Amino acid sequence: MHDYNVSRGVALRVFGVLQKQGVAEPVPGGRWKVLRPGQSIDRRPLAQRLEDVITDDDLTIGAPFPSTTELSVRFGVSRPTVTKALVKLESAGLLSEAHQGKQRTVRALPKRTESPES
């Protein structure tokens, strides 16, 4: 902000207006993220979004799960972040553990609790 001769108060007001317009959102660490037109935001934890990969990609039990690198590109997060979320799915019993040279596989399908349509 100092590089552009903009005070913190002015910048916060600007981002407040952009947030109301749906063009920007706050992110952890006291920063802001400007959203591109048509970009939708899924605010669910990454582990839940990775769980959706099983159903979205029509994976069955025993099917190989996408690699950490593929998932980091797909969700726009770092590989260590994906790894932490995958560990949660492993501990929930949805995925097999990954080992050097061995790809994760689907061990169970996620249970969906959807209300019946009326």
Side-chain angles (χ1 to χ4, degrees):
M1 289 185 290
H2 298 292
D3 295 341
Y4 301 102
N5 287 331
V6 177
S7 72
R8 182 171 172 82
V10 171
L12 290 174
R13 284 194 298 272
V14 168
F15 275 110
V17 170
L18 293 174
Q19 183 181 16
K20 286 180 184 176
Q21 295 175 354
V23 179
E25 70 172 1
V27 294
R31 297 181 178 188
W32 289 82
K33 176 181 179 182
V34 176
L35 305 175
R36 300 188 194 296
Q39 180 182 15
S40 62
I41 301 171
D42 188 351
R43 289 184 165 73
R44 296 177 302 146
L46 183 59
Q48 288 180 2
R49 293 186 285 160
L50 291 178
E51 202 175 294
D52 288 345
V53 169
I54 296 171
T55 54
D56 293 347
D57 292 1
D58 293 323
L59 300 178
T60 58
I61 294 175
F65 198 73
S67 71
T68 306
T69 304
E70 291 174 50
L71 294 169
S72 67
V73 170
R74 182 171 174 174
F75 290 99
V77 297
S78 68
R79 286 178 40 224
T81 301
V82 171
T83 300
K84 288 178 186 178
L86 289 171
V87 167
K88 290 180 181 180
L89 295 182
E90 289 171 3
S91 65
L94 295 175
L95 297 177
S96 65
E97 292 183 23
H99 298 289
Q100 182 71 28
K102 182 180 174 197
Q103 189 173 14
R104 284 180 180 86
T105 58
V106 178
R107 291 182 64 190
L109 299 178
K111 293 184 171 89
R112 296 290 177 213
T113 56
E114 298 178 6
S115 60
E117 295 181 25
S118 45

